[in-house]
Amino acid sequence: MASTEDVKNIADGVGGVELSEGNKQSKSAAKKAAKMDKKHAEKENKLAASAKAEATKASAKPAKKNAKIEGAALIGVGVDKELDFPGWYQQVLTKGDMIDYYDVSGCYILKPDSYGIWETIQEWFDTRIKRMGVRNCYFPMFVSSKVLEREKDHIEGFAPEVAWITKAGKNNLEEPIAIRPTSETVMYPYYAKWIRSHRDLPLRLNQWNSVVRWEFKQPQPFLRTREFLWQEGHTAHLTQEGAGKEVLEILELYAGVYEHLLAVPVMRGKKTDKEKFAGGLYTTTVESYIPTTGRGIQGATSHCLGQNFSKMFEITVEDPTGKEGEKKAPIYVWQNSWGLSTRVIGVMIMIHGDNKGLVLPPRVATTQVVIVPVGVGVKTSDEDRKKLHGEIDKVADVLKEANLRVHVDDRESHSPGYKFNDWELKGVPLRLEIGPGEIKGDFVTAARRDTGEKDKIAIPELGTKVPSLLEMIQGDLYAKADAAFRGHVKQITTWSEFVPALNEKNVILIPHCLMEKCEDQIKEMSARKEVPDDIPEDARAPSMGAKSLCIPFEQPEGLVKGETKCTNPECGNTAEAWCLFGRSY
């Protein structure tokens, strides 16, 4: 795990803040909130009935009743994250306005707040790959069966998830057409057409699109869906060295998305041969960790495909080292593919969210600062009300000039207390409260979403101190998540310690032989048996066997090749490397 970049320009006086209670809701606001909550609950119940395989509510299982949060705000999350993680995740996504359920099972609507996060990631990543010489393009989503089945080893892993179109209107198609699960077989016939000389290399193309994988396991928003958004880069190089260099450059950009934008720590490493991309030479990965469930999660992968696909699709160039008149065999190009999907949003939410709702890192939050008017009541004159809103608009303009994303909540139908709960639920990083008292004192009251701490900021200093405070929040979120990850990576060398450490929500570094058969044995030996399939996936997590997550690039000391034994007691081989194992998504 690499540390996030240093947080600079931290605002003076932000430390030593005190906690303060939010305003209570008025009776009328509470009634309105109750009505809204009732309508929302009715909608959720209908959706859950039509897609019960993908959304498990806490109330559906008696064992989860104690997960209910007593005294939770009517509009807020109603179940405890630690006690009912699937129920919490579902509620925080829908009530936090991230998604809505769609009438096709396994598909979800990305609402503006979640899609805005994806746009921020797109812009950051797209800018950087273009500096590397990557260009964007777009290939059709349809794939003929002939083309898809051309590379059978590659498509074998996707075969059960491929969605096929067999009809157009009432007529059967002469040949079924697949909807792309990935684009290697879509793009590479045209690479063979376009690449005619070594001067055409490197060819670096990327596309932002959606793919369809018809999952039959329990779908989970952002993590396992039947359609998802992603980017997929496909490049061709003259040499293995050139391809390998790019693999690591892209992997570092993926780490940057997590660490720099999402405040999520990751471990960089290489997949074992068992877990690598089908048909590829090797796969590099960034792996993260969900503290609540104790499970690892793959963040993004960058693959070196070697020459496997170029040999399949006859993508060749002449050997540039050949002398004039000398006939040399053509060179098969070296290829890479790399992808990052909207899964990143789910990982961020699961790591940072709490029992009040979403907690969004400032760098990706669609609204970074919300301004809530306070101290305005029925006795407030129209003149005073107008004056207050004029001052609030001035504050908003100052923050917008500092390139911050600001929203003024001027809804008169809700009390300040209701608004506080609403914006906490949506995870806005910073709330500014401004009322007659603040205007008179020439300050605003700032409340952090991540800690709940409050402090006063002088109005003349808002343009510098609010951006600094947001950077502090970003850094603190990363530090908290990094400490949780590091604290749950256990380095052990004896099997007797393996399963107990796994059951304590850890991921485990062990000396390992890196053989596929041994990985299968470890998964089998570390699993609990007889767990019903209808139990939600996160509830089944303690029963799952451990799989290899990655071979970390940063290897601990203490392993001597040819001497150190593999940790699996059923394996007689010596260890090749420290390998990270864990239960995973």
Side-chain angles (χ1 to χ4, degrees), residues 2 44 51-52 73 78 104 143 158 173 178 180-181 227 229 246 275 304 316 342 360 399 404-405 412 429 464 488 497:
E44 281 190 339
K52 59 185 178 182
V104 175
V143 195
F158 295 111
L173 298 180
R180 63 177 167 226
E227 181 192 19
L229 300 176
E246 182 193 80
E275 296 294 332
C304 180
T316 63
T342 42
L360 300 178
L399 297 177
L404 299 181
R405 299 182 287 275
E412 295 188 355
T464 56
H488 284 87
E497 300 176 77

Side-chain angles (χ1 to χ4, degrees), residues 143-189:
V143 195
S144 70
S145 58
K146 180 174 65 176
V147 169
L148 191 66
E149 293 166 4
R150 188 169 175 181
E151 217 305 290
K152 292 183 179 178
D153 289 342
H154 165 64
I155 205 61
E156 185 178 356
F158 295 111
E161 301 169 0
V162 175
W164 293 93
I165 299 171
T166 57
K167 280 194 169 189
K170 294 182 179 180
N171 300 318
N172 292 326
L173 298 180
E174 289 184 10
E175 179 188 4
I177 295 175
I179 301 175
R180 63 177 167 226
T182 182
S183 295
E184 280 79 7
T185 55
V186 177
M187 299 172 74
Y188 296 166

Side-chain angles (χ1 to χ4, degrees), residues 271-334:
K271 289 288 189 182
T272 62
D273 284 346
K274 176 179 169 58
E275 296 294 332
K276 73 178 182 180
F277 184 68
L281 182 62
Y282 62 87
T283 291
T284 64
T285 180
V286 288
E287 300 284 328
S288 194
Y289 169 79
I290 310 301
T292 309
T293 60
R295 295 166 68 181
I297 187 162
Q298 178 179 289
T301 48
S302 180
H303 316 285
C304 180
L305 303 179
Q307 296 172 307
N308 296 340
F309 286 89
S310 63
K311 289 177 180 177
M312 177 61 62
F313 291 95
E314 286 295 322
I315 310 173
T316 63
V317 296
E318 81 288 354
D319 189 336
T321 64
K323 298 177 182 178
E324 188 174 348
E326 182 184 6
K327 189 168 181 68
K328 280 197 167 187
I331 295 175
Y332 288 98
V333 303
W334 292 81

Side-chain angles (χ1 to χ4, degrees), residues 54 100-109 214 219 225-227:
E54 56 194 273
D100 207 339
Y101 286 88
Y102 195 57
D103 64 352
V104 175
S105 177
C107 298
Y108 307 91
I109 300 165
W214 211 256
T225 60
R226 287 180 169 170
E227 181 192 19

Side-chain angles (χ1 to χ4, degrees), residues 227-381:
E227 181 192 19
F228 58 86
L229 300 176
W230 75 343
Q231 62 71 215
E232 50 176 327
H234 296 271
T235 64
H237 305 261
L238 182 62
T239 66
Q240 182 176 3
E241 292 74 21
K245 180 174 180 287
E246 182 193 80
V247 164
L248 295 181
E249 288 175 340
I250 293 295
L251 191 73
E252 199 56 36
L253 290 182
Y254 288 157
V257 168
Y258 278 99
E259 295 176 339
H260 178 76
L261 295 182
L262 304 177
V264 169
V266 292
M267 183 179 288
R268 300 151 175 82
K270 181 181 175 183
K271 289 288 189 182
T272 62
D273 284 346
K274 176 179 169 58
E275 296 294 332
K276 73 178 182 180
F277 184 68
L281 182 62
Y282 62 87
T283 291
T284 64
T285 180
V286 288
E287 300 284 328
S288 194
Y289 169 79
I290 310 301
T292 309
T293 60
R295 295 166 68 181
I297 187 162
Q298 178 179 289
T301 48
S302 180
H303 316 285
C304 180
L305 303 179
Q307 296 172 307
N308 296 340
F309 286 89
S310 63
K311 289 177 180 177
M312 177 61 62
F313 291 95
E314 286 295 322
I315 310 173
T316 63
V317 296
E318 81 288 354
D319 189 336
T321 64
K323 298 177 182 178
E324 188 174 348
E326 182 184 6
K327 189 168 181 68
K328 280 197 167 187
I331 295 175
Y332 288 98
V333 303
W334 292 81
Q335 291 179 266
N336 295 335
S337 69
W338 26 272
L340 177 86
S341 77
T342 42
R343 163 178 281 223
V344 299
I345 300 173
V347 175
M348 173 198 71
I349 289 168
M350 291 193 295
I351 288 175
H352 298 311
D354 61 23
N355 284 339
K356 290 184 178 180
L358 299 166
V359 178
L360 300 178
R363 290 177 186 166
V364 294
T366 52
T367 300
Q368 295 170 309
V369 181
V370 62
I371 301 175
V372 179
V374 296
V376 178
V378 292
K379 295 182 179 180
T380 305
S381 67

Side-chain angles (χ1 to χ4, degrees), residues 79-97:
V79 294
D80 191 290
K81 181 181 181 182
E82 293 290 334
L83 300 178
D84 180 8
F85 189 72
W88 172 86
Y89 185 62
Q90 179 207 359
Q91 287 197 22
V92 82
L93 290 177
T94 53
K95 293 185 175 184
D97 226 19

